[in-house]
Amino acid sequence: MSSKLIAPSILAADFANLQRDIEMINDSEADWFHIDIMDGVFVPNISFGMPVLKAITTHTIKPVDVHLMIVDPDRYIKTFANLGADNLTVHYEACPHLHRTIQAIKAEGMKAGVALNPHTPIALLEDIIQNIDLICLMSVNPGFGGQSFIENTYSKVNQLKKMINKNGATTKIEIDGGVTNKNAKQLIEAGADILVAGSYVFKSKNQTETIKDLKALANS
Ligand code: DX5
Ligand code: ZN
């Protein structure tokens, strides 16, 4: 059984053919749908909101991994649960009461994720690691697809993996931004569990094959 997961990011899909692209992922070897919600405040871009997410989750047959790049995410936790999110990831930098936010996500029956911007130190999670189901390490500055991978991510994955093991936690490590076949293997070797890939999947000629190859690489 494969244990490393691939989560294509819908941000890079063809929004005029969203159902087609969702069905491609349903039929592929991908494990999760990664859905980026941006508010134009926390990040300098706006992606899409609730009605589009609702349309997406009508067609998905795999877990839906929602990445919130928004300020004050606590306001919408119940809404995202009702819209069909399985994982809800909030940004460390957007949550002054992170412990409370994580409890609220779990109380709605979702897995709780915390994302870190590239400049945010891993050590800030030491006192809360036991409570977090998923840590999303941003390997680009959040807000846009198609950016270049930041190399310092490998060392952050290493540090985070050590922290997880030291604390006996079961937290999974997700990498988001600039993931391709060039860095996938090294990320997994450093300790990553889930690879998000947007442009690399959707800009490729044969998307199903690209997902299959990335999955094989991650589990080789
Ligand atoms: C960036 C988003 C990512 C993005 C990744 O802010 O969080 O999920 O879609 O896209 P690529 O794989 O193109 O870097
Ligand atoms: Zn994302």
Side-chain angles (χ1 to χ4, degrees), residues 34-151:
H34 183 83
I35 315 273
D36 292 306
I37 307 285
M38 305 176 185
D39 65 356
V41 179
F42 181 71
V43 288
N45 193 16
I46 298 174
S47 55
F48 47 80
M50 313 323 187
V52 175
L53 180 58
K54 190 171 179 199
I56 291 172
T57 55
T58 306
H59 299 288
T60 51
I61 61 166
K62 295 178 180 180
V64 173
D65 179 45
V66 175
H67 175 194
L68 297 183
M69 284 158 276
I70 66 173
V71 295
D72 204 1
D74 300 63
R75 290 167 67 196
Y76 300 107
I77 290 171
K78 206 180 243 314
T79 306
F80 282 107
N82 291 338
L83 286 171
D86 294 283
N87 307 333
L88 194 64
T89 295
V90 295
H91 264 264
Y92 175 88
E93 303 83 5
C95 296
H97 305 287
L98 187 60
H99 185 275
R100 181 185 290 150
T101 304
I102 288 169
Q103 302 313 316
I105 293 171
K106 290 182 174 175
E108 292 298 333
M110 298 178 286
K111 298 276 189 202
V114 176
L116 294 189
N117 280 339
H119 74 277
T120 304
I122 298 293
L124 292 170
L125 295 178
E126 181 100 49
D127 290 335
I128 201 168
I129 188 88
Q130 307 266 10
N131 298 277
I132 306 174
D133 295 309
L134 175 81
I135 293 175
C136 175
L137 291 183
M138 292 308 302
S139 38
V140 297
N141 286 294
F144 303 91
Q147 303 180 82
S148 303
F149 179 82
I150 297 172
E151 297 284 324

Side-chain angles (χ1 to χ4, degrees), residues 170-188:
T170 55
T171 318
K172 299 291 181 204
I173 304 177
E174 179 178 69
I175 311 299
D176 189 8
V179 171
T180 69
N181 63 344
K182 301 272 187 292
N183 49 32
K185 186 70 191 159
Q186 202 177 334
L187 286 167
I188 296 292

